[in-house]
Amino acid sequence: EKQFKEVARLIKKERIHSIILYFLDLNNISRGKIVDSDYFLKNINPGFSLDYYSLAQTLTGEMIDAPGIIPDVSGNMRMIPELSTFKVLTPKPGYAIVFVDLFWKDFTAICFYPRNKIKELLKDYEDMGIYPLAGIELEFSLKRINHKDRINRPYSIKSLA
């Protein structure tokens, strides 16, 4: 509620008319959807609709084929803005940007979305009383893999033996 009021105040003060809902796709390529500021404020909850092809396009422009994992329907994802990341784009008057978290239409987390994996990993660390100060490239530190847990949580610290 406090963050929402601060974002609404900034939108009015800075005369923001367009907000970029920003995310990285599975190839770490910047993607976004631009929405009108009034529409943004009215739809922060329940979020904004997005088709999976915006997330799951390969570098060559083909679609990732993942039957049973990615539903083949329109508007099958929800973008939920993380208001703590809201920034006015000073070099582009009237525009702001905000990171979004991606969920399936029923609001379950998309297990393979990188931002969700990072949050899950940080939560696992926190539950263990560990607070990371820097990131490492996990693929170079794996020693053994717990294949049973890796099916549901492929990049989790719980998948390590």
Side-chain angles (χ1 to χ4, degrees):
E1 181 69 27
K2 183 180 176 185
Q3 283 182 334
F4 176 83
K5 287 180 179 178
E6 177 59 19
V7 166
R9 185 191 69 75
L10 267 175
I11 287 172
K12 185 175 181 180
K13 178 185 173 211
E14 300 291 335
R15 297 182 185 157
I16 302 298
H17 54 74
S18 300
I19 294 146
I20 302 165
L21 306 174
Y22 178 81
F23 62 95
L24 297 172
D25 71 9
L26 297 178
N27 296 304
N28 232 20
I29 295 173
S30 297
R31 304 272 186 201
K33 183 175 186 177
I34 299 176
V35 295
D36 173 85
S37 60
D38 291 332
Y39 182 79
F40 175 79
L41 291 172
K42 289 176 189 168
N43 290 283
I44 285 176
N45 189 2
F48 304 87
S49 180
L50 184 73
D51 290 333
Y52 85 90
Y53 57 78
S54 300
L55 177 67
Q57 194 172 38
T58 67
L59 291 173
T60 59
E62 298 159 353
M63 295 308 303
I64 294 173
D65 185 23
I69 297 174
I70 300 175
D72 190 18
V73 294
S74 287
N76 57 4
M77 294 191 305
R78 304 298 294 170
M79 295 185 292
I80 308 296
E82 186 171 311
L83 296 181
S84 65
T85 67
F86 186 90
K87 301 288 180 231
V88 174
L89 296 177
T90 51
K92 192 161 178 80
Y95 283 82
I97 191 167
V98 66
F99 274 92
V100 295
D101 292 320
L102 299 181
F103 299 87
W104 292 120
K105 199 172 189 174
D106 66 359
F107 295 99
T108 57
I110 296 174
C111 65
F112 53 82
Y113 178 56
R115 191 166 159 81
N116 290 348
K117 295 313 297 178
I118 293 285
K119 285 183 172 193
E120 184 180 293
L121 180 65
L122 291 174
K123 173 79 172 92
D124 287 346
Y125 279 131
E126 185 180 312
D127 291 348
M128 294 168 33
I130 300 170
Y131 300 91
L133 300 176
I136 60 168
E137 292 196 37
L138 186 62
E139 67 270 23
F140 296 110
S141 353
L142 293 176
K143 300 295 183 206
R144 285 183 286 149
I145 297 173
N146 176 345
H147 291 287
K148 179 182 170 194
D149 198 46
R150 190 165 184 246
I151 292 169
N152 295 322
R153 301 179 62 177
Y155 301 104
S156 163
I157 57 174
K158 293 178 181 176
S159 71
L160 302 178

